[in-house]
Amino acid sequence: MPYSVLFVCLGNICRSPLAEAAFREEARRLKLDVIVDSAGTGSWHVGSPPDPRAQAVARKNGVDISSLRGRQVKPIDFRRFTHVVALDEDNLANLRRLAPPDATADATAELSLLLDHVEGREGQPVADPYFGDDDGFDLTWADVTAGARGLAQKLRRGD
Ligand code: 4NP
């Protein structure tokens, strides 16, 4: 079965679209057969394009994310995706609450935190850059790139 990965933050306009873009690039480099998407646990930005500062940092790093649109996580995502990857612990906790109970066999996705896939950074959040300044988005890009690399390499090894 090909892998499918859903990245999840709060608004789906800053961190998770950047993680989606970074992971898509990394998967392409490694020739991984994988479906990639992102979503938010919140609903405020459903239908919205990524934050202009997220678009700018992506563009600066050679990726166009302007056509992405925000959406909210839904229960079927836990069955449609093989991996659901949260950007921080709060969103991971919300995902655990939203996931259908294991007993129904509906929740087959493996849940993780993005930086769990980076050696030495397990358990760390990708900080929310929304209320900060532009520099925060460079840090977000660095973090999601590290996480995307680690996850793509794990999937390539079949871990
Ligand atoms: P994201 O950032 O979760 O990385 O997309 C946020 C975007 C919007 C809000 C919070 C975080 N907000 O409160 O609207």
Side-chain angles (χ1 to χ4, degrees), residues 34-35 77 83 97 99 109 121 127 133 149:
V34 64
I35 291 162
D77 287 325
H83 294 74
R97 268 194 291 277
R121 299 199 61 190
D133 58 22
R149 287 214 173 114

Side-chain angles (χ1 to χ4, degrees), residues 36-56:
V36 193
D37 195 7
S38 65
T41 52
S43 62
W44 311 283
H45 302 285
V46 169
S48 300
D51 185 286
R53 297 165 296 171
Q55 294 191 40

Side-chain angles (χ1 to χ4, degrees), residues 9-15 44-45 128 130-131:
C9 62
L10 181 59
N12 192 209
I13 55 166
C14 298
R15 292 166 292 174
W44 311 283
H45 302 285
D128 186 348
Y130 184 67
F131 294 106

Side-chain angles (χ1 to χ4, degrees), residues 50-134:
D51 185 286
R53 297 165 296 171
Q55 294 191 40
V57 82
R59 201 177 314 116
K60 201 161 84 177
N61 288 280
V63 194
D64 179 3
I65 62 168
S66 62
S67 63
L68 298 181
R69 293 295 179 266
R71 76 165 179 93
Q72 194 173 21
V73 177
K74 44 187 191 268
I76 200 169
D77 287 325
F78 296 92
R79 192 145 49 96
R80 286 224 178 108
F81 290 87
T82 58
H83 294 74
V84 175
V85 183
L87 275 284
D88 65 29
E89 192 62 50
D90 283 350
N91 286 298
L92 184 60
N94 282 328
L95 285 170
R96 290 206 173 101
R97 268 194 291 277
L98 286 168
D102 288 346
T104 66
D106 267 354
T108 48
E110 188 178 308
L111 292 187
S112 64
L113 204 55
L114 182 62
L115 291 180
D116 281 350
H117 303 288
V118 181
E119 212 180 312
R121 299 199 61 190
E122 295 88 350
Q124 291 182 16
V126 173
D128 186 348
Y130 184 67
F131 294 106
D133 58 22
D134 290 6

